[in-house]
């Protein structure tokens, strides 16, 4: 085979999480009471727009989680091909020009020359300092000074046009699907989409999709010929680094949540349901854990893991496996230190639920504790779990950036938003200032965190029974006004019956 698949620890956990989510989706679709809150999420324009952006990031993260080692050309050992020590992903193959077009050093976004001068030897033996041409950026231009702007403009227009063509095709397919589903004409279905009268706000989703496809078209048209976001100190494309950082952020948020939930669910429900000495022990545990600064625990764990990796290099065939193990242990320690807040919330909610009448009736009928917890307590606290999980995701992404910035996060060989910001820290102090690496990391991380927060807000409004959306309040108000204005028909009013006096028989 020309390649050998590699399954890293985080890859396995990511796809396990995907399987769990697929099973949950199948289960929720079969139960109407579980599907109803998600339908309310689907009616939120901001939530669905944010989910569209999140879906774009998730697709990149999943493509970047399929790893393999390519075989070396004409290298065999006992008839078996020898594989490279470099571990690539399916996403690396798709964006191969971004990965392989490496320059000497810094170059500005969409530039054709290096950002700094270098000494060049002339044919007559003299030397001169000048801005040298890039090896790949703008290499197709004969005279970049006069041709570069026109070339960038034409390629940008072509990229926007290509993206909008794909967008129009998607709009047409969506309108045809809705017309067939609701047994209506194509024109009426298209009109309903743009007026926003559909159950799902497809107009907001399509507008977000138009922006994404336009930007994607621009990148596809420009990236083979230019470095869209410039290059770093070693000449690597900054756009490639920003896209590779997405997987690290998603792994930190997803796997940490997967590790955190069992602790929070089990201990929180046990503390609130059994009370007494069980509650005292669990409260003592998470209070003690909260009193220890989480940064110290993370630093200690990462340093211990680093010592183990350095003293046992024979356990790791590639650098990617070593970096992946450090990332896994970072997720574990973040999960261990971040379950206490959700545990406290679940304890309080369980204390309230165990006093409800149906729980007391179940106790009176002799129902076991496990059945009460699994059938009555757990389903009624899942809205808290879901809201807290989605809202904590953005915090975990920011935590990775901060930890990698101070040097106790992911391995330096792994690309992440934190390592990009850490590398840009010194570049901002040089003259001339290199600003594009920090800006790229900030924009991508800001978009990911903002979309996660907007989606979390939509989930909170849909699942929290104490919160009513504005549309729900408006519909209730209109219903009450309509009832007050409805006249009473006197023809159907009933007159009070006369009392019949009972007389004793003669």
């Amino acid at each position: 085979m020309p390649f050998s698949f590699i399954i890293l620890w985080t890859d396995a956990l990511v796809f396990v999480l995907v399987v769990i989510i697929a099973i949950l989706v199948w289960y929720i679709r079969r139960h109407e009471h579980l599907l109803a809150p998600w339908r309310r999420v689907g009616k939120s324009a901001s939530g669905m727009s944010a989910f569209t952006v999140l879906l774009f990031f998730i697709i990149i993260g999943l493509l970047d989680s399929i790893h393999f080692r390519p075989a070396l050309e004409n290298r065999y050992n006992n008839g078996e091909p020898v594989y490279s020590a470099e571990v690539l992903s399916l996403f690396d193959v798709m964006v191969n020009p971004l990965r392989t077009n490496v320059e000497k050093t810094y170059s500005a976004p969409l530039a054709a020359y290096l950002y700094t001068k270098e000494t060049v030897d002339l044919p007559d033996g003299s030397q001169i300092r000048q801005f040298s041409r890039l090896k790949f950026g703008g290499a197709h231009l004969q005279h970049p000074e006069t041709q570069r702007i026109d070339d960038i403009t034409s390629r940008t227009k072509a990229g926007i046009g290509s993206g909008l063509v794909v967008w129009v095709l998607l709009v047409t397919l969506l309108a045809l699907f809705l017309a067939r589903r609701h047994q209506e004409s194509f024109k009426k279905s298209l009109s309903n989409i743009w007026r926003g009268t559909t159950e799902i706000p497809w107009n907001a989703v399509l507008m977000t999709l138009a922006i994404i496809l336009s930007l994607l078209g621009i990148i596809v048209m420009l990236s083979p010929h230019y470095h869209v976001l410039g290059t770093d100190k070693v000449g690597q494309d900054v756009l490639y680094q920003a896209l590779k950082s997405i997987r690290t952020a998603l792994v930190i948020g997803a796997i940490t949540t997967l590790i955190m939930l069992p602790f929070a669910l089990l201990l929180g429900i046990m503390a609130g349901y059994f009370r007494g000495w069980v509650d005292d022990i669990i409260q003592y545990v998470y209070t003690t854990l909260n009193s220890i600064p989480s940064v110290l625990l993370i630093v200690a764990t990462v340093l211990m893991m680093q010592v183990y990796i350095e003293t046992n290099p024979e356990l790791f065939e590639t650098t990617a496996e070593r970096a992946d193990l450090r990332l896994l242990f970072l997720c574990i320690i973040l999960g261990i230190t971040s379950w206490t807040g959700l545990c406290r919330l679940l304890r309080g909610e369980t204390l309230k639920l165990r006093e409800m009448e149906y729980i007391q009736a179940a106790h009176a009928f002799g129902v076991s504790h496990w059945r009460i917890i699994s059938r009555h307590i757990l389903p009624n606290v899942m809205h808290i779990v879901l809201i807290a999980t989605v809202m904590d995701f953005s915090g975990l992404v920011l935590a990775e950036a901060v930890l990698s910035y101070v040097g106790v996060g992911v391995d330096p060989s792994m690309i992440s938003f934190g390592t990009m910001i850490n590398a840009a820290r010194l570049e901002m102090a040089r003259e001339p200032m290199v600003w594009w690496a920090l800006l790229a990391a900030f924009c991508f991380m800001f978009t990911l965190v903002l979309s996660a927060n907007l989606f979390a807000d939509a989930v909170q409004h849909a699942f929290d029974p104490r919160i009513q959306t504005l549309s729900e309040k408006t519909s209730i108000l209109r219903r009450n006004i309509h009832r007050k204005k409805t006249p009473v028909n006197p023809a159907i009013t009933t007159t009070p019956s006369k009392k019949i006096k009972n007389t004793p028989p003669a």
Side-chain angles (χ1 to χ4, degrees), residues 112-401:
Y113 293 91
L114 290 175
Y115 193 62
T116 56
K117 292 183 178 181
E118 65 176 4
T119 304
V120 179
D121 295 327
L122 298 178
D124 59 357
S126 60
Q127 293 180 339
I128 186 175
R129 290 186 60 81
Q130 65 178 9
F131 295 101
S132 300
R133 286 287 302 271
L134 296 177
K135 185 178 179 181
F136 298 100
H140 63 291
L141 302 176
Q142 295 293 332
H143 303 285
E145 296 83 0
T146 58
Q147 297 175 340
R148 186 173 66 90
I149 300 299
D150 294 336
D151 184 65
I152 292 174
T153 304
S154 61
R155 292 182 185 277
T156 301
K157 292 179 180 178
I160 294 175
S162 302
L164 291 180
V165 167
V166 176
W167 178 75
V168 169
L169 180 61
L170 293 176
V171 171
T172 305
L173 293 176
L174 176 63
L176 290 174
F177 171 75
L178 293 179
R180 183 177 180 182
R181 182 178 181 182
H182 299 293
Q183 300 295 324
E184 58 187 13
S185 64
F186 172 79
K187 186 176 180 180
K188 184 178 180 182
S189 177
L190 196 62
S191 176
N192 291 335
I193 290 175
W194 291 117
R195 286 186 301 167
T197 57
T198 55
E199 183 179 3
I200 297 175
W202 289 112
N203 52 353
V205 174
L206 291 174
M207 292 302 296
T208 306
L209 198 59
I211 297 174
I212 293 175
L213 291 176
S214 299
L215 293 175
L216 191 60
I218 294 173
I219 292 173
V220 170
M221 295 301 296
L222 289 176
S223 58
H225 306 281
Y226 297 95
H227 299 286
V228 180
L229 296 179
T231 57
D232 62 357
K233 186 176 182 179
V234 297
Q236 195 172 20
D237 195 279
V238 173
L239 176 61
Y240 173 73
Q241 295 181 5
L243 292 173
K244 291 286 287 185
S245 301
I246 293 174
R247 178 190 179 270
T248 306
L250 293 177
V251 166
I252 289 285
I255 296 182
T256 302
T257 302
L258 191 64
I259 295 171
M260 173 191 69
L261 281 181
F263 291 98
L265 275 173
L266 180 64
L267 298 180
I269 293 177
M270 285 178 60
Y273 181 78
F274 293 106
R275 298 190 299 182
W277 62 271
V278 176
D279 186 19
D280 294 338
I281 292 176
I282 294 175
Q283 284 193 75
Y284 178 79
V285 170
Y286 68 64
T287 303
T288 305
L289 193 59
N290 276 338
S291 64
I292 304 173
S294 57
V295 176
L296 295 181
L297 290 177
I298 294 171
V299 170
T301 305
V302 169
L303 292 179
M304 290 170 58
M305 194 66 230
Q306 191 65 29
V307 170
Y308 175 79
I309 291 174
E310 292 178 355
T311 55
N312 299 276
E314 68 279 359
L315 299 178
F316 310 100
E317 295 184 7
T318 61
T319 306
E321 294 179 1
R322 183 185 66 187
D324 183 75
L325 186 62
R326 178 167 172 172
L327 176 63
L328 176 62
F329 270 81
L330 180 62
C331 294
I332 292 174
I333 190 61
L334 283 174
I336 291 175
T337 56
S338 59
W339 61 269
T340 56
L342 180 58
C343 179
R344 188 182 290 110
L345 290 175
L346 293 177
R347 172 186 174 273
E349 187 70 14
T350 307
L351 283 172
K352 182 185 74 174
L353 290 175
R354 76 181 308 275
E355 303 300 331
M356 303 295 287
E357 289 82 359
Y358 61 91
I359 302 292
Q360 299 297 327
H363 280 296
F365 281 105
V367 180
S368 64
H369 295 308
W370 167 250
R371 190 169 182 82
I372 292 175
I373 291 175
S374 60
R375 295 296 297 273
H376 300 297
I377 301 293
L378 185 60
N380 286 290
V381 299
M382 286 307 295
H383 69 282
I384 296 178
V385 174
L386 189 59
I387 293 170
T389 299
V390 179
M391 296 187 70
D392 286 346
F393 175 82
S394 56
L396 293 170
V397 173
L398 295 175
E400 180 276 325

